[in-house]
mmCIF file with all atom_site columns, all heavy atoms in Angstrom:
data_model
loop_
_atom_site.group_PDB
_atom_site.id
_atom_site.type_symbol
_atom_site.label_atom_id
_atom_site.label_alt_id
_atom_site.label_comp_id
_atom_site.label_asym_id
_atom_site.label_entity_id
_atom_site.label_seq_id
_atom_site.pdbx_PDB_ins_code
_atom_site.Cartn_x
_atom_site.Cartn_y
_atom_site.Cartn_z
_atom_site.occupancy
_atom_site.B_iso_or_equiv
_atom_site.pdbx_formal_charge
_atom_site.auth_seq_id
_atom_site.auth_comp_id
_atom_site.auth_asym_id
_atom_site.auth_atom_id
_atom_site.pdbx_PDB_model_num
ATOM 1  N N   . ASP A 1 3  ? 1.673 -10.540 -19.427 1.00 81.00 ? 3  ASP A N   1
ATOM 2  C CA  . ASP A 1 3  ? 2.055 -9.369  -20.203 1.00 81.00 ? 3  ASP A CA  1
ATOM 3  C C   . ASP A 1 3  ? 1.979 -8.120  -19.340 1.00 81.00 ? 3  ASP A C   1
ATOM 4  O O   . ASP A 1 3  ? 1.117 -8.007  -18.471 1.00 81.00 ? 3  ASP A O   1
ATOM 5  C CB  . ASP A 1 3  ? 1.140 -9.192  -21.424 1.00 81.00 ? 3  ASP A CB  1
ATOM 6  C CG  . ASP A 1 3  ? 1.353 -10.296 -22.450 1.00 81.00 ? 3  ASP A CG  1
ATOM 7  O OD1 . ASP A 1 3  ? 2.372 -10.984 -22.349 1.00 81.00 ? 3  ASP A OD1 1
ATOM 8  O OD2 . ASP A 1 3  ? 0.490 -10.454 -23.329 1.00 81.00 ? 3  ASP A OD2 1
ATOM 9  N N   . ALA A 1 4  ? 2.892 -7.187  -19.579 1.00 83.00 ? 4  ALA A N   1
ATOM 10 C CA  . ALA A 1 4  ? 2.889 -5.896  -18.895 1.00 83.00 ? 4  ALA A CA  1
ATOM 11 C C   . ALA A 1 4  ? 3.573 -4.878  -19.798 1.00 83.00 ? 4  ALA A C   1
ATOM 12 O O   . ALA A 1 4  ? 4.351 -5.233  -20.695 1.00 83.00 ? 4  ALA A O   1
ATOM 13 C CB  . ALA A 1 4  ? 3.587 -5.985  -17.537 1.00 83.00 ? 4  ALA A CB  1
ATOM 14 N N   . PHE A 1 5  ? 3.289 -3.598  -19.556 1.00 85.00 ? 5  PHE A N   1
ATOM 15 C CA  . PHE A 1 5  ? 3.879 -2.539  -20.374 1.00 85.00 ? 5  PHE A CA  1
ATOM 16 C C   . PHE A 1 5  ? 5.307 -2.271  -19.922 1.00 85.00 ? 5  PHE A C   1
ATOM 17 O O   . PHE A 1 5  ? 5.564 -2.035  -18.731 1.00 85.00 ? 5  PHE A O   1
ATOM 18 C CB  . PHE A 1 5  ? 3.058 -1.260  -20.288 1.00 85.00 ? 5  PHE A CB  1
ATOM 19 C CG  . PHE A 1 5  ? 3.598 -0.146  -21.138 1.00 85.00 ? 5  PHE A CG  1
ATOM 20 C CD1 . PHE A 1 5  ? 3.330 -0.112  -22.494 1.00 85.00 ? 5  PHE A CD1 1
ATOM 21 C CD2 . PHE A 1 5  ? 4.378 0.849   -20.581 1.00 85.00 ? 5  PHE A CD2 1
ATOM 22 C CE1 . PHE A 1 5  ? 3.830 0.905   -23.289 1.00 85.00 ? 5  PHE A CE1 1
ATOM 23 C CE2 . PHE A 1 5  ? 4.892 1.867   -21.356 1.00 85.00 ? 5  PHE A CE2 1
ATOM 24 C CZ  . PHE A 1 5  ? 4.610 1.893   -22.725 1.00 85.00 ? 5  PHE A CZ  1
ATOM 25 N N   . ARG A 1 11 ? 6.129 -0.824  -25.201 1.00 85.00 ? 11 ARG A N   1
ATOM 26 C CA  . ARG A 1 11 ? 4.978 -1.634  -25.609 1.00 85.00 ? 11 ARG A CA  1
ATOM 27 C C   . ARG A 1 11 ? 4.768 -2.734  -24.578 1.00 85.00 ? 11 ARG A C   1
ATOM 28 O O   . ARG A 1 11 ? 5.580 -2.913  -23.658 1.00 85.00 ? 11 ARG A O   1
ATOM 29 C CB  . ARG A 1 11 ? 5.184 -2.249  -26.995 1.00 85.00 ? 11 ARG A CB  1
ATOM 30 C CG  . ARG A 1 11 ? 6.439 -3.098  -27.130 1.00 85.00 ? 11 ARG A CG  1
ATOM 31 C CD  . ARG A 1 11 ? 6.652 -3.529  -28.572 1.00 85.00 ? 11 ARG A CD  1
ATOM 32 N NE  . ARG A 1 11 ? 7.907 -4.229  -28.737 1.00 85.00 ? 11 ARG A NE  1
ATOM 33 C CZ  . ARG A 1 11 ? 8.106 -5.516  -28.472 1.00 85.00 ? 11 ARG A CZ  1
ATOM 34 N NH1 . ARG A 1 11 ? 7.098 -6.255  -28.005 1.00 85.00 ? 11 ARG A NH1 1
ATOM 35 N NH2 . ARG A 1 11 ? 9.276 -6.077  -28.650 1.00 85.00 ? 11 ARG A NH2 1
ATOM 36 N N   . SER A 1 12 ? 3.669 -3.472  -24.747 1.00 86.00 ? 12 SER A N   1
ATOM 37 C CA  . SER A 1 12 ? 3.358 -4.563  -23.842 1.00 86.00 ? 12 SER A CA  1
ATOM 38 C C   . SER A 1 12 ? 4.207 -5.781  -24.202 1.00 86.00 ? 12 SER A C   1
ATOM 39 O O   . SER A 1 12 ? 4.210 -6.225  -25.351 1.00 86.00 ? 12 SER A O   1
ATOM 40 C CB  . SER A 1 12 ? 1.868 -4.911  -23.942 1.00 86.00 ? 12 SER A CB  1
ATOM 41 O OG  . SER A 1 12 ? 1.541 -5.938  -23.042 1.00 86.00 ? 12 SER A OG  1
ATOM 42 N N   . THR A 1 13 ? 4.944 -6.300  -23.245 1.00 86.00 ? 13 THR A N   1
ATOM 43 C CA  . THR A 1 13 ? 5.802 -7.462  -23.471 1.00 86.00 ? 13 THR A CA  1
ATOM 44 C C   . THR A 1 13 ? 5.523 -8.523  -22.411 1.00 86.00 ? 13 THR A C   1
ATOM 45 O O   . THR A 1 13 ? 4.883 -8.256  -21.396 1.00 86.00 ? 13 THR A O   1
ATOM 46 C CB  . THR A 1 13 ? 7.291 -7.071  -23.399 1.00 86.00 ? 13 THR A CB  1
ATOM 47 O OG1 . THR A 1 13 ? 7.570 -6.554  -22.080 1.00 86.00 ? 13 THR A OG1 1
ATOM 48 C CG2 . THR A 1 13 ? 7.639 -6.023  -24.437 1.00 86.00 ? 13 THR A CG2 1
#
Side-chain angles (χ1 to χ4, degrees):
D3 292 344
F5 181 81
R11 56 187 175 82
S12 182
T13 61

